[in-house]
Amino acid sequence: MKSFSIGGIHAPENKLTADKATVTGALPSQAVVLLNQHLGAPATPVVAKGETVKTGQIIAKASGMISACIHAPVSGKVLKIDECVDASGYKKPAIYIVREGDEWMEDIDRTDTFVDRFDWTPEQIREKIAAAGITGMGGAGFPTHVKLSPPPGKKAEVLIVNAVECEPYLTADHRLMLEKGREIVMGLRLLMKGVGVTRGIIAIENNKKDAIAYMKSLVSADMGIEVVALKVKYPQGGEKQLIDAAIGRQVPSGALPVDVGAIVQNVATVFAAYEAVQKNKPLIERIITVTGKTLSAPGNFWMRLGTSMQEVMDMAGGLPEDAGKIIGGGPMMGKPLVSLTVPMTKGSSGLLVLPNLEAPRKEIRNCIRCAKCVDACPMGLEPYLFMTLTQHEEWDKLEKERIMDCIECGCCTFSCPSTRPLLDYLRIGKQKVGGIIRARNQKKVG
Amino acid sequence: MGNKFFVSLAPHIHGGDSIEKKMYGVLIALLPALAVSVYVFGVGALVVTGISVLSCVLFEYVLQRFVLKVQPTVTDGSAILTGLLLAFNLPSNLPFWIILIGAMAAIGIGKMSFGGLGNNPFNPAIVGRVFLLISFPSQMTTWPNAFERSYVDASTGATPLDMVKNHFGDLPSFSELLMGQSGGSLGELGALALLLGGLFMLYRGIITWHIPVVILLTAFVSAFCFSLLAPESFYAYQTGSSLGNALAYAGFHLVSGGMMLGAFFMATDYVTSPMTPRGQLLYAFGIGLITILIRVFGAYPEGMSFAIFLMNGVTPLINTYIKPKRFGEVRK
Ligand code: SF4
Ligand code: SF4
């Protein structure tokens, strides 16, 4: 079975909620909608304090080339436009809406009826996706419509749907496929038309056999879509790793996926694209996996964006007594949350609670040069060396050793028998080297 | 409830590996070989092993506690391992004070003077062995015969490597060598037991195949070539054809002396071997070749520990110049 070619790890899967059908979550009393839920420039608010909004109404417009629109996830009154602490722990601007009922925009089709209209032009598809504010829902949050329009001179050949869900614990994408498979296939066909490619691949890790079988039953050869089962290995969901695994092409250092002819979209994004085009529905809700070994009722929930993590947690029976660490996302790349007041965003795929026992880190010991970190690195880098070089502030050497290739997957830290915080240092080194490179490029231009 | 959660960056889970798991894993892998040497050398094997292990652990503890004034780390198993590996490189009748000096050299010079586990450029056990070999050449090169199970008054004799190098004596058969029925250092007998331990380490992911396989392969091929080029000078068993003799000669080198011990347990030492698979291949090639060169042309009948010592010295250079295969480097 196929997988990516370098490094990678096997972590305990802990997919506790794989067989829990999705439940529609309670509506929040207040939605706090961050203006920067995507990579790029924050959206510009188009509503004012005191204004009444309907569910699905646009409340902030994309500003600039790389940005995305934002819509009201609930109906009600705009309380204020103010700052709010997000998952990264920093204060970011947000629109606060106090919910009143749930009154939707009239042009949105809220029914479950499957729509298979296919007479859209590629432009229409791209426009509808941009208007719906769709972004990558797997993590980075890159605006989808930007990805669908490759830079001039570059041609995509294949659209790969990232449905591997390689993070332990998370099952949101798995459930989505089982429950909305038809819509996903339709969404993929629309996206393929939107970018102008004839080949589509749905890549699923082999620990989701039911989803593989179901998706296979939904596609046919004349659609140009193939369902590919991949060997379970983390970080298969990394864009470069996924392309390597699915079509055997390696994106060179510093290049884009489209340079090897590929565009990758997360499976939740593909579903959102279906809803945007066929149902006129903007991205205002998503599935989030709320999980942890000591939760009383872990599950997968459809939640409106802007709902506080506290209310999300309540859906799964509330925060357990022994909660030691709360993570927004999965255990390998998720962000540690300082509190549960953080609101849900377009990229919130999971809320994970680790018990006290598993939360603290272990003592840092001498590097025994065992090379486990080197063997684990999916980018072919030398994490132990990065850590030393960062400690010695040798930025030139770090750049030469290609620290900027690091995808921050955490395989190195995960594997180190001396429990060294390799990635913590790598992030510092990357930030520093990235700054140096930007400064140098600016000088060249100026 | 409060906001008293742990906040540290991703990844939030760890694979559970530890220095202890690695070190005690290697120790377990050495048990079959230890059993063979106790069977063959009896009390002598027990005494030498005991003194070596205890003194290594003690030296490490004392040095860390009272000289370097750091938290002793003797429980991590690395000092025990050094002690055991050192013992495996000694004859079973070596006077106890020489063992103490060896342990001192291994831990004191080989490990602690560089800053402890992880910072030593040379494998501590090999530092101890080489130190003793140079300081006490005669005691270090008289080995009790097989099944001489006493520590003090064992009768001594030549090792198989000696016999083959100088063409004399009754060479043990191939299967006797495999099972450990020959003279030599504690860990030089029982190729099969050592191989078993090596396979265990491979299975547990403690080591990868690169170093042992390439050492054995290089040694085999180079010994084979020498014998084929000069059949009169290099042979172990007479098989009737020069090709057969060359194969037997090469095979003999694999199962005798410190070849198995070195390939699986000494050369694979994390700290002193290269970090990348490609670097490890080069390193192992060097060890295999140098070992045979010393065995065939050198003054000593055995060259494994010198070869490893030498290549340990080259490891930093290898690490600087040989990089892992980068993602996206070569288009498939
Ligand atoms: S975090 Fe970076 S250095 Fe560490 S394994 Fe992942 S890509 Fe390699
Ligand atoms: S895994 Fe840890 S101990 Fe091993 S080489 Fe890397 S940093 Fe050092």
Side-chain angles (χ1 to χ4, degrees):
Chain A
M1 198 171 291
K2 291 201 278 190
S3 187
F4 54 97
S5 38
I6 303 178
I9 56 159
H10 297 274
E13 290 171 20
N14 283 317
K15 304 269 190 190
L16 314 172
T17 50
D19 55 359
K20 297 264 192 315
T22 57
V23 173
T24 304
L27 295 177
S29 54
Q30 168 186 286
V32 180
V33 192
L34 285 161
L35 292 174
N36 208 0
Q37 306 186 24
H38 47 262
L39 218 73
T44 317
V46 293
V47 290
K49 185 176 161 179
E51 209 169 301
T52 311
V53 293
K54 286 184 179 166
T55 306
Q57 180 182 333
I58 186 159
I59 52 174
K61 268 209 160 66
S63 62
M65 281 293 289
I66 298 178
S67 185
C69 299
I70 289 174
H71 303 77
V74 292
S75 59
K77 223 183 215 125
V78 177
L79 175 70
K80 57 180 178 177
I81 299 176
D82 200 356
E83 287 182 325
C84 164
V85 174
D86 76 351
S88 66
Y90 291 105
K91 283 188 176 161
K92 297 280 172 62
I95 299 175
Y96 288 66
I97 303 170
V98 177
R99 182 175 69 86
E100 286 159 13
D102 189 26
E103 198 188 323
W104 286 59
M105 296 289 286
E106 292 75 22
D107 55 355
I108 298 174
D109 172 4
R110 291 184 63 199
T111 63
D112 261 347
T113 333
F114 177 67
V115 183
D116 61 357
R117 204 181 139 185
F118 206 62
D119 56 359
W120 307 100
T121 67
E123 292 72 33
Q124 278 174 319
I125 292 172
R126 290 202 299 267
E127 272 159 26
K128 291 198 102 168
I129 286 170
I134 296 173
T135 63
M137 290 166 75
F142 198 80
T144 301
H145 63 278
V146 182
K147 241 188 189 180
L148 295 181
S149 320
K154 300 193 171 165
K155 178 98 187 70
E157 296 158 27
V158 54
L159 207 148
I160 303 171
V161 178
N162 182 353
V164 297
E165 205 163 44
C166 62
E167 276 271 11
Y169 287 97
L170 303 190
T171 56
D173 291 347
H174 186 183
R175 290 314 309 180
L176 186 69
M177 282 188 279
L178 292 178
E179 296 171 27
K180 303 281 180 199
R182 270 199 311 173
E183 289 81 352
I184 291 168
V185 172
M186 190 67 220
L188 173 56
R189 293 180 61 203
L190 291 167
L191 286 174
M192 286 162 64
K193 194 170 188 185
V195 230
V197 298
T198 49
R199 187 176 169 210
I201 292 176
I202 303 175
I204 309 173
E205 275 193 349
N206 202 34
N207 54 1
K208 294 177 269 290
K209 294 212 168 65
D210 49 356
I212 295 171
Y214 181 52
M215 296 309 286
K216 274 193 173 154
S217 76
L218 293 175
V219 300
S220 59
D222 56 316
M223 294 177 186
I225 299 174
E226 188 191 347
V227 176
V228 177
L230 300 175
K231 202 171 106 192
V232 179
K233 195 160 75 165
Y234 177 88
Q236 197 131 240
E239 210 166 49
K240 291 189 169 185
Q241 279 65 36
L242 186 66
I243 296 170
D244 184 17
I247 60 171
R249 293 185 200 166
Q250 292 195 353
V251 181
S253 175
L256 293 170
V258 73
D259 290 318
V260 297
I263 291 181
V264 178
Q265 294 291 355
N266 174 274
V267 66
T269 311
V270 176
F271 175 72
Y274 160 84
E275 291 207 309
V277 178
Q278 308 290 43
K279 304 280 206 173
N280 216 23
K281 186 177 156 193
L283 181 50
I284 53 164
E285 59 182 349
R286 65 159 297 149
I287 305 178
I288 180 168
T289 301
V290 189
T291 183
K293 288 174 198 159
T294 54
L295 256 56
S296 58
N300 304 291
F301 305 99
W302 281 103
M303 300 299 294
R304 298 283 170 87
L305 306 183
T307 307
S308 77
M309 287 300 181
Q310 179 63 58
E311 282 163 286
V312 175
M313 185 61 77
D314 290 342
M315 291 301 302
L319 197 65
E321 280 283 307
D322 66 348
K325 196 177 201 180
I326 302 174
I327 298 155
M332 289 304 294
M333 290 188 80
K335 296 213 163 74
L337 301 186
V338 188
S339 85
L340 284 172
T341 55
V342 170
M344 264 194 71
T345 64
K346 295 173 183 175
S348 301
S349 50
L351 182 61
L352 168 65
V353 181
L354 292 183
N356 263 317
L357 228 54
E358 295 177 22
R361 286 188 172 180
K362 299 221 178 60
E363 178 202 359
I364 303 171
R365 303 167 77 179
N366 275 7
C367 170
I368 57 169
R369 309 179 64 80
C370 64
K372 297 292 162 198
C373 54
V374 180
D375 292 342
C377 179
M379 296 305 292
L381 307 172
E382 294 170 287
Y384 80 97
L385 183 65
F386 289 154
M387 179 161 171
T388 320
L389 291 177
T390 302
Q391 282 168 330
H392 296 165
E393 309 199 346
E394 305 221 38
W395 314 125
D396 287 355
K397 278 201 190 139
L398 277 170
E399 186 183 351
K400 248 195 20 234
E401 298 288 348
R402 315 206 346 191
I403 193 175
M404 296 313 285
D405 280 3
C406 169
I407 57 168
E408 303 187 24
C409 64
C411 288
C412 46
T413 307
F414 178 88
S415 308
C416 178
S418 292
T419 42
R420 293 173 75 73
L422 295 159
L423 184 49
D424 289 5
Y425 281 88
L426 286 177
R427 286 195 190 95
I428 299 172
K430 260 184 90 174
Q431 209 164 29
K432 197 81 194 180
V433 173
I436 293 173
I437 295 175
R438 272 193 301 279
R440 193 172 52 217
N441 289 348
Q442 251 156 31
K443 229 193 229 153
K444 262 190 221 147
V445 176
Chain B
M1 181 181 88
N3 288 343
K4 290 189 305 253
F5 306 122
F6 286 95
V7 178
S8 57
L9 292 174
H12 308 285
I13 50 175
H14 185 262
D17 210 347
S18 68
I19 300 182
E20 284 76 10
K21 274 196 187 161
K22 298 278 178 243
M23 296 297 165
Y24 290 108
V26 181
L27 285 170
I28 291 171
L30 281 166
L31 288 181
L34 183 63
V36 171
S37 63
V38 171
Y39 172 68
V40 175
F41 293 127
V43 183
L46 286 175
V47 172
V48 171
T49 308
I51 296 176
S52 178
V53 170
L54 283 179
S55 52
C56 278
V57 172
L58 196 74
F59 283 138
E60 177 155 318
Y61 183 82
V62 169
L63 279 174
Q64 289 186 318
R65 180 82 202 271
F66 300 107
V67 182
L68 302 169
K69 306 220 191 297
V70 294
Q71 183 67 30
T73 55
V74 287
T75 48
D76 69 14
S78 64
I80 304 176
L81 182 59
T82 299
L84 190 57
L85 287 176
L86 178 64
F88 271 26
N89 278 286
L90 306 175
S92 65
N93 64 348
L94 196 68
F96 78 93
W97 55 274
I98 298 187
I99 307 178
L100 287 183
I101 294 176
M104 190 68 200
I107 297 291
I109 303 176
K111 190 171 174 190
M112 286 306 154
S113 67
F114 294 104
L117 183 64
N119 300 316
N120 48 302
F122 299 101
N123 185 332
I126 289 191
V127 173
R129 146 124 177 163
V130 170
F131 189 85
L132 292 183
L133 206 55
I134 294 168
S135 317
F136 306 95
S138 84
Q139 288 94 326
M140 282 294 287
T141 50
T142 36
W143 291 275
N145 291 316
F147 304 111
E148 282 293 338
R149 296 188 172 116
S150 141
Y151 175 52
V152 280
D153 55 358
S155 72
T156 59
T159 63
L161 277 174
D162 243 340
M163 298 176 197
V164 163
K165 188 170 178 99
N166 300 309
H167 303 297
F168 72 95
D170 268 337
L171 197 61
S173 72
F174 199 77
S175 61
E176 281 172 330
L177 284 173
L178 274 180
M179 302 309 292
Q181 294 156 23
S182 72
S185 298
L186 290 188
E188 289 188 353
L189 31 123
L192 219 52
L194 288 162
L195 189 65
L196 195 72
L199 292 178
F200 170 78
M201 290 197 297
L202 282 171
Y203 170 73
R204 291 284 297 268
I206 297 173
I207 58 171
T208 57
W209 60 269
H210 305 82
I211 293 176
V213 168
V214 172
I215 289 180
L216 297 178
L217 205 70
T218 312
F220 186 89
V221 171
S222 49
F224 176 79
C225 291
F226 282 128
S227 177
L228 212 57
L229 290 174
E232 299 307 311
S233 326
F234 308 120
Y235 60 87
Y237 306 103
Q238 294 295 350
T239 60
S241 75
S242 58
L243 186 70
N245 282 1
L247 281 174
Y249 181 72
F252 164 80
H253 273 291
L254 292 197
V255 297
S256 59
M259 184 62 79
M260 286 291 169
L261 180 68
F264 282 102
F265 293 94
M266 313 275 286
T268 53
D269 172 43
Y270 287 148
V271 183
T272 55
S273 59
M275 299 298 278
T276 66
R278 286 195 281 199
Q280 289 170 359
L281 296 181
L282 181 65
Y283 162 90
F285 173 77
I287 291 174
L289 188 66
I290 295 169
T291 303
I292 295 298
L293 286 177
I294 295 178
R295 282 185 179 187
V296 170
F297 300 110
Y300 288 94
E302 172 58 307
M304 194 75 203
S305 51
F306 283 118
I308 297 176
F309 191 77
L310 228 92
M311 291 310 290
N312 280 172
V314 183
T315 293
L317 207 66
I318 295 180
N319 281 339
T320 308
Y321 289 104
I322 300 194
K323 292 293 157 191
K325 182 165 174 263
R326 312 288 198 194
F327 185 94
E329 191 174 58
V330 231
R331 289 279 205 88
K332 283 195 294 183

